[in-house]
Amino acid sequence: MKCFLFYLVFLLELVWFGYGQSSNHQPLAPAFFVFGDSLVDCGNNNYIPTLARADYLPYGIDFGFPTGRFCNGRTVADYGAMYLGLPLLPPFFAPVSIVHNVLRGLNYASAAAGILEETGQHFGARTSFSGQVSQFEMTIELKLRPFFQNPEDLRKYLAKSIISINIGSNDYINNYLMPDRYSSSKIYSGEDYANLLIKTLSAQISRLYSLGARKMVLGGTGPLGCIPSQLFMVNGNNNNKSGCVTKINNLVSLFNSRLKDLPNTLNTTLPGSFFIYQNIYDLFHDMVVNPSGYGLVIPDKACCGSGRYGGASTCLPLQEPCLDRNQYVFWDAFHPTEIANKIIAENTFSNSAKYSYPISLYEFTKL
């Protein structure tokens, strides 16, 4: 039975990633390569021994079947690919990525992954950002290079491709904010920890550059003090007027301010590179404090969860989720709903530069 289900999912992946999502329009980029954590994981953790997985219902309930996405439907990366005119990307580990033409891109994101190697280790296996960069190197050598007889053509292809990096949340919620499991908060102040993350991330981005990446999108970390899991763990006295945990949001802001400035440094050390910073924090925070402005109703409770705010645990197998999912900001204790992901993508993968610095992603693709 298990083998049959695996084969069924494999066939469904062939349809979704191979044929069902093609575009009649000229794509804005030749390929889209996604790096990150559970916010954009599209199924990589299905194939490794880990507790951080979402390969069961009700995850995927609005996608049609559970894919390993930590959502009821599509992620921001899925919508990002659509806006670029590209098909949904297969996970690096999926069998379909072996037979599928990977020229349109791959997704390397892994739930529980972080910038730091130790982040999320209590979940078991996960592919850290450094590990994802190694997988990108393998993709180039084993899957992409055979398509390009001329090395210069491969160089141009990689230089025009969009590299999306959405990493850092777990370095807080599954490292720094877990003092019983990790020592980082005892060693580093908030500012020193943010500096450590940026220094490590900078070296990882430099490695991507050495492999041929030139156009990189840096996704800021969202307001983690607003997610149901954090609201569940604190008493109301620690919350600000928005209902979020001020201390946690302040920590994240230290990281984001440095991430926004990172391109200024990298542009001088990595000639020919281009970066944009997506201000996810301000956009998502506005969705939480002003949900009606986005057609949402419930900004602080998980659609599928338990306990106060639905933040006591993640969505359990076959648990009954809320019926009005398009009214919720959060799907589970940690992750946005499909509708929230769509709103984020509409505001960051678009012609508008309101939440993209220094230019919009559409302008970015023209460089």
Side-chain angles (χ1 to χ4, degrees):
M1 181 66 179
K2 194 170 184 180
C3 291
F4 170 76
L5 290 174
F6 180 85
Y7 181 67
L8 178 61
V9 170
F10 175 72
L11 291 178
L12 289 169
E13 285 177 340
L14 281 175
V15 172
W16 274 100
F17 301 125
Y19 305 106
Q21 299 294 311
S22 61
S23 172
N24 293 325
H25 302 288
Q26 183 68 23
L28 297 176
F32 187 38
F33 295 98
V34 174
F35 300 80
D37 51 33
S38 58
L39 291 169
V40 289
D41 186 348
C42 66
N44 279 304
N45 276 29
N46 294 354
Y47 301 91
I48 58 178
T50 180
L51 296 175
R53 57 197 312 119
D55 55 348
Y56 55 85
L57 288 171
Y59 286 98
I61 188 172
D62 295 312
F63 196 93
F65 56 96
T67 62
R69 289 167 171 79
F70 287 73
C71 185
N72 57 304
R74 292 173 175 81
T75 68
V76 170
D78 293 329
Y79 284 110
M82 293 178 187
Y83 280 111
L84 290 171
L86 295 167
L88 295 184
L89 305 178
F92 171 80
F93 280 125
V96 69
S97 73
I98 299 173
V99 301
H100 179 67
N101 185 333
V102 298
L103 284 173
R104 291 305 192 189
L106 276 178
N107 186 315
Y108 305 91
S110 175
I115 296 168
L116 303 180
E117 291 297 316
E118 67 269 21
T119 289
Q121 64 186 3
H122 60 285
F123 286 105
R126 71 265 174 243
T127 308
S128 67
F129 184 40
S130 288
Q132 293 174 37
V133 175
S134 294
Q135 291 172 348
F136 180 60
E137 184 174 18
M138 291 172 57
T139 299
I140 294 172
E141 293 304 319
L142 301 179
K143 296 182 180 181
L144 291 175
R145 196 171 296 281
F147 286 103
F148 297 90
Q149 294 182 348
N150 186 343
E152 179 63 14
D153 291 338
L154 175 59
R155 185 196 68 78
K156 290 179 179 178
Y157 160 85
L158 291 171
K160 285 291 185 181
S161 296
I162 301 296
I163 311 295
S164 175
I165 302 167
N166 194 320
I167 197 90
S169 295
N170 286 315
D171 293 292
Y172 286 97
I173 59 177
N174 286 308
N175 189 325
Y176 195 79
L177 296 173
M178 300 184 77
D180 293 339
R181 290 182 179 271
Y182 299 90
S183 61
S184 52
S185 62
K186 300 180 181 71
I187 299 173
Y188 301 101
S189 67
E191 291 203 0
D192 288 341
Y193 189 64
N195 289 336
L196 171 66
L197 292 179
I198 292 298
K199 180 180 179 181
T200 307
L201 181 63
S202 179
Q204 294 160 338
I205 289 174
S206 295
R207 188 177 164 207
L208 276 174
Y209 174 87
S210 71
L211 295 173
R214 292 295 181 269
K215 300 170 82 169
M216 290 176 254
V217 179
L218 308 180
T221 296
L224 300 178
C226 301
I227 66 177
S229 70
Q230 297 302 317
L231 298 180
F232 170 81
M233 288 190 287
V234 302
N235 61 54
N237 295 331
N238 291 317
N239 296 8
N240 58 27
K241 290 181 179 179
S242 69
C244 303
V245 186
T246 304
K247 179 181 178 181
I248 295 175
N249 281 348
N250 287 344
L251 282 171
V252 172
S253 294
L254 291 173
F255 171 73
N256 281 335
S257 63
R258 288 160 173 77
L259 183 62
K260 182 179 179 180
D261 290 338
L262 184 59
N264 295 330
T265 302
L266 294 178
N267 281 332
T268 60
T269 59
L270 307 177
S273 62
F274 303 94
F275 297 88
I276 60 170
Y277 168 75
Q278 292 180 328
N279 185 3
I280 306 297
Y281 183 99
D282 284 350
L283 171 58
F284 201 86
H285 190 267
D286 192 49
M287 291 167 62
V288 170
V289 301
N290 179 35
S292 61
Y294 299 88
L296 303 170
V297 178
I298 303 171
D300 57 354
K301 295 180 178 64
C303 172
C304 187
S306 60
R308 200 161 56 108
Y309 300 104
S313 67
T314 190
C315 192
L316 300 174
L318 301 180
Q319 182 175 349
E320 192 71 29
C322 66
L323 295 177
D324 47 355
R325 293 182 283 277
N326 283 343
Q327 295 185 8
Y328 281 71
V329 173
F330 292 99
W331 161 246
D332 63 13
F334 303 94
H335 307 97
T337 54
E338 178 181 62
I339 186 64
N341 285 328
K342 183 179 182 181
I343 292 168
I344 294 170
E346 285 173 347
N347 283 274
T348 54
F349 286 85
S350 66
N351 297 341
S352 171
K354 182 177 181 181
Y355 294 106
S356 291
Y357 174 83
I359 58 175
S360 71
L361 187 129
Y362 179 79
E363 294 172 301
F364 188 63
T365 62
K366 303 302 180 184
L367 295 176

